[in-house]
Amino acid sequence: MALIDNYFQKGKIMGKAKVINGKAYAERLRSRIAEAVTHLKVTHNITPGLAVVLVGDDPASQVYVRNKEKQTAEAGMASFENKLSADIKENELLALIANLNGDTAVHGILVQLPLPDHIDSGKIINAINPDKDVDGFHAINVGRLTTGNKGMVPCTPLGCLMLLKDQFCDLQGKHAVIVGRSNIVGKPMAALLLQESCTVTIAHSRTKKLREICQSADILVAAAGRPQMIGSDWIKPGATIIDVGINRVPKEEGPGKFRLVGDVDFSAAAEVAAAITPVPGGVGPMTIACLLKNTVTSTCRIHGVEEPIIAS
Ligand code: NDP
């Protein structure tokens, strides 16, 4: 992290590229969210509530959930923890979701993925009331997004879009290439950029001539989960790079030590691109901030209250 902080202090320039400081953007966004929460409390006597469901003891999931709960509380929202044993039965989890759907203090429900193999994740996600589905993974919200209707938008792509809109007044006509077609990142990212009138190409592991396709991108969103796969010769000079990938790779100085890298070779790409998100400190912090933003959105919609405009 110290290295990235150093880039920012040097005036947001790394090589030729501006480093997009997602960490600072997310901090500003969270303080706007806290203001909106205070407004909802004072004016409407409503406290937004987020319920987080964690099944099992996966260490990475535990860290994510702890961060989510901490930032929920810091924003002034109510946080409801549901930590369940890995051997919980599917019908017991469905019963918990039904309870949370009916709980008027809960406006957002998040089930931390992955779930254990014996539980059908799709069944659980689709049991959440779509209006409380702050992750935006419910099939109804997927449909709303792709048809351009008001729904809940998945947090990571929403965060990427906010960072892109901060770079460009207008995204229309730009060629956006997204590497990755998952339901949580690649596909919703494509739907959002299409709504902004970008020309969108979605690439994946079977895509031919991937490097050439990436070279034609004005906006390149890397979400493959492949450490530093995208080098400087994949990038069109002047492109904007959004690196979603979070990969743990061994540190050179010894066994058992790890560092985080993205899907893009950051320092090489920064010599060619106009702007780039670092890892860590780019897209990652935006994901939780957008989760809180979605919880404010769902609260306002559930109570029929005008939604405050929350922008950094
Ligand atoms: P998935 O594994 O679900 O999807 C990866 C996608 O990348 C697939 O569509 C796959 O293609 C494609 N892919 C894999 N290898 C290649 C390759 N060599 N060339 C081209 N395409 C490839 O991952 P997620 O979408 O869940 O996550 C992607 C990355 O983003 C991960 O590193 C993850 O940790 C990170 N992430 C970060 C978040 C954040 O908050 N910053 C949030 C969520 C994810 P195919 O479909 O053909 O298999």
Side-chain angles (χ1 to χ4, degrees):
M1 197 63 219
L3 188 62
I4 298 297
D5 284 341
N6 198 23
Y7 298 147
F8 295 142
Q9 279 155 19
K10 279 190 201 158
K12 300 187 178 174
I13 303 289
M14 169 69 188
K16 291 187 182 133
K18 172 186 173 191
V19 180
I20 301 172
N21 191 341
K23 188 179 167 210
Y25 190 104
E27 262 167 35
R28 294 195 298 276
L29 192 60
R30 288 201 307 273
S31 69
R32 298 290 93 74
I33 290 164
E35 285 164 18
V37 170
T38 303
H39 172 78
L40 283 169
K41 285 182 182 173
V42 172
T43 314
H44 302 285
N45 197 23
I46 300 167
T47 301
L50 175 65
V52 177
V53 178
L54 174 65
V55 181
D57 48 15
D58 174 62
S61 293
Q62 283 178 335
V63 172
Y64 291 139
V65 164
R66 213 177 303 130
N67 284 339
K68 284 169 187 169
E69 287 166 351
K70 181 170 170 278
Q71 293 185 24
T72 304
E74 280 170 4
M77 300 186 193
S79 172
F80 304 100
E81 299 171 20
N82 298 273
K83 293 188 176 143
L84 310 164
S85 142
D87 58 8
I88 188 170
K89 294 193 175 71
E90 189 175 88
N91 61 352
E92 292 171 324
L93 191 50
L94 287 168
L96 171 67
I97 300 291
N99 273 340
L100 296 173
N101 283 341
D103 187 337
T104 54
V106 172
H107 304 96
I109 302 169
L110 177 145
V111 177
Q112 183 66 42
L113 300 176
L115 290 171
D117 289 344
H118 68 280
I119 293 176
D120 178 345
S121 303
K123 203 165 164 184
I124 301 298
I125 298 299
N126 287 320
I128 297 172
N129 174 350
D131 296 332
K132 295 188 177 187
D133 167 39
V134 281
D135 255 342
F137 295 160
H138 192 293
I140 286 185
N141 283 318
V142 176
R144 286 174 178 158
L145 177 63
T146 50
T147 51
N149 285 298
K150 223 160 89 170
M152 300 307 296
V153 177
C155 304
T156 301
L158 180 59
C160 295
L161 183 67
M162 293 180 94
L163 293 179
L164 282 169
K165 282 189 158 179
D166 198 43
Q167 297 300 304
F168 300 104
C169 310
D170 192 359
L171 292 167
Q172 59 178 309
K174 298 205 181 298
H175 183 208
V177 173
I178 301 157
V179 185
R181 57 174 165 179
S182 72
N183 290 338
I184 65 168
V185 187
K187 286 181 198 156
M189 188 75 247
L192 285 173
L193 290 171
L194 201 53
Q195 269 175 19
E196 297 296 326
S197 296
C198 287
T199 303
V200 179
T201 302
I202 309 177
H204 46 78
S205 67
R206 313 292 164 88
T207 298
K208 295 195 167 70
K209 301 196 173 169
L210 180 59
R211 185 164 63 99
E212 284 87 335
I213 291 170
C214 291
Q215 279 168 345
S216 70
D218 303 310
I219 294 167
L220 181 60
V221 180
R226 297 283 176 265
Q228 299 178 313
M229 175 180 104
I230 294 175
S232 58
D233 56 341
W234 291 49
I235 293 167
K236 177 170 154 179
T240 294
I241 315 294
I242 303 291
D243 192 354
V244 183
I246 300 178
N247 307 290
R248 254 163 59 104
V249 295
K251 271 188 170 174
E252 277 150 23
E253 57 257 40
K257 296 198 170 167
F258 294 90
R259 65 189 176 103
L260 293 182
V261 297
D263 289 353
V264 178
D265 182 345
F266 178 78
S267 46
E271 294 297 326
V272 183
I276 184 166
T277 58
V279 177
V283 173
M286 292 298 289
T287 299
I288 300 184
C290 287
L291 172 70
L292 304 180
K293 182 178 178 335
N294 278 351
T295 307
V296 171
T297 300
S298 62
T299 305
C300 293
R301 289 183 189 165
I302 287 167
H303 287 276
V305 167
E306 194 184 345
E307 201 180 324
I309 295 167
I310 300 174
S312 168

